[in-house]
Amino acid sequence: MAKKDAQVSSREGTISIHEETRGARAVKYLLIGVSVLFLFVMLVLPLVTVIIESFKKGFGQYLNAVTDADTISATLLTLEATVIAVAINTVFGLFAAWAVTKFHFKGKKVLVTLIDLPVTVSPIIAGLIYVLTFGRQSAVYPFLSAHHLEVVYAVPGIILATVFVTFPFISREILPVLEAQGTDEEEAAAMMGASGLTIFRRITLPHIKWALLYGIVLCAARAMGEFGAVSVLSGHLRGKTVTLPLQVEILFGDNKFMQAFAVSSILVVLAVVILIIRSIVEYVGKEK
Amino acid sequence: MKKKVRIIPGFGLSMGVTLALLSLIVLIPLASLVVFTAKMSPSEIWEVITRKRVLASFEVSVLTAFIASAVNAVMGVILAWVLVRYDFPFKRLLDGMIELPFALPTAVAGISLTSLYADTGLMGRLFSKFGIKVAYTRLGIIVALIFIGIPFVVRSVQPVLEKLDPLYEEAAGMLGASRTRIFWKVILPELRPAIFTGFGLAFGRCLGEYGSVVFIAGNHPYETEITPLIIMSELQEYDYSSATAIALVMLAAAFLILFLVNLIQIHNSRILKGGH
């Protein structure tokens, strides 16, 4: 941006307001300073705090906290919920994006709005609607209990809540890319006799590769960190229905601060990895 | 669009999968909220949502979400400006960091901010020198909500600022406008819809936020009890009617905000299209 400004002004031979006068430079450093300070206090400090607090009692204690049986079972449950949420939402995202961008039909806007609905709903309300659907007062409860299917305060509820809060994450990334690409290439391929799967694999997928990957990363990030909705449906049965964020809450509530931060540090590492992947995906995507 | 023969295959399949999953995951559970509400009388709902403790929670939630989003609106414009217009070392790092609140689980942010801003924490000690308590007060809720809302305004203003032609600013400059005047009269009007959009999205998110707030809020009734927490405690007492009634108010607020944000975006895209 700055280079472009300089070119414009030198070509025209006028005095550009972007030329760095002393006042402009002062404003520049002031604004950069304010930004760096703000992000340092609001983002970097909390991250550093997690790491410092988790190693406060030494590496041995840290290792104990991280390899605690409850923590390991929480990690496994978090992974399970995340993998299932990513799988379901990838399938949904691909089909939904295909349906919305490749065809014309009535009510397309309504459909897109409905797909986006879960992100506007508070996580607590997301949990509430599943309690109302599958809980004791619901119409399907007698059927569920007759077949010994537990949803509320059980693992299926946690997985459903995770799928709900991340529902539009992948379709939302793919949609705009497919929209911009149009339907010409697919139509040409279809007229030449290519099957749906071939069209998707050879034409559509290469276009949306990066958007899909980015969506998966976002979905995974949100899925493993979901707290509110999962908290409503979990019942907090230790070793059974506790995910990593809930384990953090339990330990913190028990005043086991060091352990709470040690478990958090796992999530911090995952978050940083996700940010790095995000940056790489975005960078490579832009290069293309 | 006139009726056209569908050349591309897979309409039935993709539409079927989309609608089936949408119904199972989103529509049926949401419908159960409607069904449950229908069983309650309006006066019953009114009685719940006008309880003093509930009204106080609305005040706490709206006030803290508004202040936090306002802070983020100002900081968001500054951050977007710095990231778009200036070059400096580690700029990419700064840019990548903005998304951290999306990637970091809210519970982790919650306990970390709590220990930072408690009286014994690094930031808490600093503030307590001036006699200000942050953790376990409304100020603490605002801090947590600022954290949650950082990406929204930055990410909605950034693309607009990137497209903004600096020639207009130069023209204004050559006509003798001062830098501050250029900012207020030339740049800010162009950014305004993006700022409002980002503000609206952040505000909506902050109203429903739970994980990062419950730890730092202290959760004193009437003082630092947010609305999602009240729903949570009603649920823990198996009082589903009260939880549903309060949730309806929150849903209405969320949809209203979404509607306003969409209005701004439609209005804005019309201006953009009309301009060219």
Side-chain angles (χ1 to χ4, degrees), chain A residues 5 17-18 35 42 46 49 95-96 98 103-105 117 120 122 128-131 133 137 164 227 231-232 264 278, chain B residues 6 8-9 11 18 25 29-30 32 79 82 99 111-112 115-116 143 147 166 169 179 208 211 232 240 247 258:
Chain A
D5 296 337
I17 53 155
H18 290 282
S35 301
M42 289 310 300
T49 303
F95 278 111
W98 183 270
F103 306 102
H104 293 281
F105 54 91
L117 212 57
T120 60
S122 165
L128 167 72
I129 62 174
Y130 279 104
V131 171
T133 312
Q137 74 306 315
F164 180 90
F227 178 71
S231 181
V232 172
S264 298
R278 195 204 82 94
Chain B
R6 292 191 171 113
I8 304 172
F11 179 70
T18 305
I25 307 285
L30 268 179
S32 69
L79 282 167
V82 165
E99 244 87 22
I111 66 164
S112 187
S115 81
L116 260 178
V143 169
F147 174 86
E169 294 156 46
R179 292 181 63 86
M232 190 74 179
Y240 295 140
L258 197 68

Side-chain angles (χ1 to χ4, degrees), chain B residues 91-104:
Chain B
K91 185 169 124 168
R92 279 194 60 84
L93 185 72
L94 217 62
D95 197 12
M97 235 157 60
I98 303 280
E99 244 87 22
L100 184 73
F102 286 157
L104 191 70

Side-chain angles (χ1 to χ4, degrees), chain B residues 131-144:
Chain B
I132 305 169
K133 271 179 78 82
V134 181
Y136 316 121
T137 68
R138 289 187 184 184
L139 211 54
I141 302 179
I142 293 171
V143 169

Side-chain angles (χ1 to χ4, degrees), chain B residues 53-69:
Chain B
R53 195 162 160 183
V54 176
L55 286 178
S57 85
F58 290 154
E59 191 210 317
V60 173
S61 279
V62 172
L63 193 74
T64 52
F66 186 86
I67 295 173
S69 310

Side-chain angles (χ1 to χ4, degrees), chain A residues 1-2 4-5 8-9 14-19 21 23-24 27-28 31-32 34-36 38-47 49-50 53 88 91-92 95-96 98-99 102-105 111 113-115 117-118 120-125 127-133 135-137 153 160 163-164 167 183 186-187 190-191 194-196 199 214 218 221-222 224-228 231-232 236 245 248-249 252 260-261 264 267-268 271-272 274-275 278-279 282-283, chain B residues 1 4 6-11 13-15 17-19 21-22 24-30 32-33 36 39 71-72 75 78-79 81-82 84-88 92 94-109 111-117 122-123 143-144 146-147 150 155 161-162 164 166-167 169-170 173-174 177 179 182 204-205 207-212 214-215 228-229 231-232 235-236 238 240 243-244 247-248 250-251 254-255 258 262:
Chain A
M1 216 62 208
K4 204 169 145 200
D5 296 337
V8 171
S9 52
T14 53
I15 300 164
S16 163
I17 53 155
H18 290 282
E19 229 164 69
T21 60
V27 171
K28 174 180 165 178
L31 291 181
I32 293 177
V34 167
S35 301
V36 171
F38 178 72
L39 292 184
F40 179 77
V41 171
M42 289 310 300
L43 300 179
V44 178
L45 267 188
L47 276 195
T49 303
V50 173
E53 292 286 328
I88 291 180
V91 171
F92 173 77
F95 278 111
W98 183 270
K102 299 298 165 201
F103 306 102
H104 293 281
F105 54 91
L111 182 65
T113 313
L114 287 177
I115 292 172
L117 212 57
T120 60
V121 170
S122 165
I124 297 295
I125 297 180
L128 167 72
I129 62 174
Y130 279 104
V131 171
L132 293 180
T133 312
R136 266 183 241 167
Q137 74 306 315
Y153 307 139
L160 277 174
V163 175
F164 180 90
F167 195 62
T183 57
E186 279 90 352
E187 274 172 18
M191 284 198 279
S195 72
I199 297 175
Y214 184 31
L218 283 180
R222 180 69 203 275
M224 71 182 199
E226 178 49 33
F227 178 71
S231 181
V232 172
H236 297 76
V248 170
E249 181 198 20
F252 198 76
F261 281 108
S264 298
L267 290 162
V268 166
V272 171
I274 279 166
L275 282 187
R278 195 204 82 94
S279 299
E282 203 184 53
Y283 186 73
Chain B
M1 219 357 114
K4 218 166 91 176
R6 292 191 171 113
I7 304 163
I8 304 172
F11 179 70
L13 177 69
S14 57
M15 206 55 185
V17 172
T18 305
L19 289 180
L21 277 172
L22 183 68
L24 277 175
I25 307 285
V26 181
L27 298 183
I28 294 175
L30 268 179
S32 69
L33 188 75
F36 198 82
K39 287 186 206 157
V71 171
N72 273 329
M75 283 315 301
I78 294 176
L79 282 167
W81 179 267
V82 165
V84 173
R85 289 292 171 96
Y86 299 143
D87 265 321
F88 53 94
R92 279 194 60 84
L94 217 62
D95 197 12
M97 235 157 60
I98 303 280
E99 244 87 22
L100 184 73
F102 286 157
L104 191 70
T106 51
V108 175
I111 66 164
S112 187
L113 288 171
T114 308
S115 81
L116 260 178
Y117 286 89
L122 190 65
M123 295 301 291
V143 169
I146 290 175
F147 174 86
I150 289 172
R155 290 303 184 231
L161 208 51
E162 268 163 11
L164 196 69
L167 278 176
E169 294 156 46
E170 290 191 22
M174 280 190 283
R179 292 181 63 86
I182 293 173
R205 171 74 206 267
L207 274 186
E209 177 57 23
Y210 175 75
S212 58
V214 280
F215 298 102
L229 184 75
I231 299 180
M232 190 74 179
L235 277 172
Q236 272 159 359
Y238 298 101
Y240 295 140
T244 305
L248 285 177
M250 283 193 65
L251 269 182
F255 290 154
L258 197 68
N262 277 336

